[in-house]
Amino acid sequence: MTASAVLAVLMLLGGAVAATADEPDADPADLADLLPVTTEVEVGPQLPADLPALTSLAVAKGGAQTVSPMATGCWTQRWTWRPRSAAGTVLYTFYHVGYWCASGTRVTAARVASAGGETRTPGWQYRGIVDRGAGVVSNQGRSFTQHKFTLRAGGIEVQSRLQCARVRGAASGGSSSDGTCGIY
């Protein structure tokens, strides 16, 4: 590949130029098949993180509910994101496990329990977590992580992606997620 062809690919994709040698490069001819176009999100099980949460679950099951509306205790839930190319190939994955505590109808604490990522397609590299945070906002235990992935082709970084994962834990013990960077 000529230098002008590499420059054309860089300008087209808007990527930054940097050289590293950790993983094999992608074939520049296949770059269109390596760009994320859709993201699949998978929710893991809601898990009690302490004895009061286990008790809340037992009370809820007695009333044929998933979780008591008056949950007490701490909870975790894992959410996993899988960006896919136009061809449907999983390019990389990243996950975030939110941790939050509630007492009755009030959320009292939040933190990041765990987070990480991995690549699934040659050329993509996982660069790690670049930002994280947690707190209680609007009676939700919110936590987030921001993950960095890069795509290399022809020895040059052609794309850098920052992907955010946020979990919002509720007083009931359940959670939801989105791709917001921050707790607000």
Side-chain angles (χ1 to χ4, degrees):
M1 179 176 227
T2 67
S4 59
V6 169
L7 244 169
V9 168
L10 288 172
M11 290 178 7
L12 210 101
L13 299 175
V17 177
T20 60
D22 322 280
E23 294 182 15
D25 285 349
D27 182 352
D30 297 328
L31 283 179
D33 292 335
L34 296 175
L35 302 178
V37 294
T38 62
T39 301
E40 168 188 303
V41 181
E42 174 188 326
V43 60
Q46 169 203 353
L47 300 172
D50 62 4
L51 186 57
L54 283 168
T55 304
S56 290
L57 270 180
V59 169
K61 287 186 183 200
Q65 299 174 356
T66 306
V67 180
S68 169
M70 297 292 283
T72 298
C74 298
W75 309 89
T76 64
Q77 192 149 32
R78 177 182 171 135
W79 291 76
T80 303
W81 287 258
R82 291 182 187 89
R84 294 180 178 272
S85 69
T89 304
V90 174
L91 301 172
Y92 49 84
T93 63
F94 58 100
Y95 71 92
H96 179 93
V97 181
Y99 176 99
W100 67 99
C101 300
S103 178
T105 59
R106 198 175 66 112
V107 174
T108 59
R111 68 178 169 89
V112 176
S114 179
E118 67 179 356
T119 59
R120 298 282 182 101
T121 304
W124 281 102
Q125 298 172 343
Y126 180 59
R127 298 296 189 188
I129 296 169
V130 296
D131 196 10
R132 67 175 53 222
V136 177
V137 177
S138 301
N139 203 35
Q140 294 178 336
R142 297 182 185 178
S143 60
F144 81 96
T145 47
Q146 184 178 44
H147 305 260
K148 184 174 182 178
F149 294 88
T150 57
L151 174 62
R152 291 172 24 104
I156 297 172
E157 183 179 304
V158 293
Q159 188 173 79
S160 178
R161 304 274 304 194
L162 293 175
Q163 302 276 230
C164 294
R166 181 171 77 168
V167 172
R168 299 181 318 262
S172 66
S175 76
S176 58
S177 75
D178 58 36
T180 301
C181 284
I183 60 172
Y184 296 100

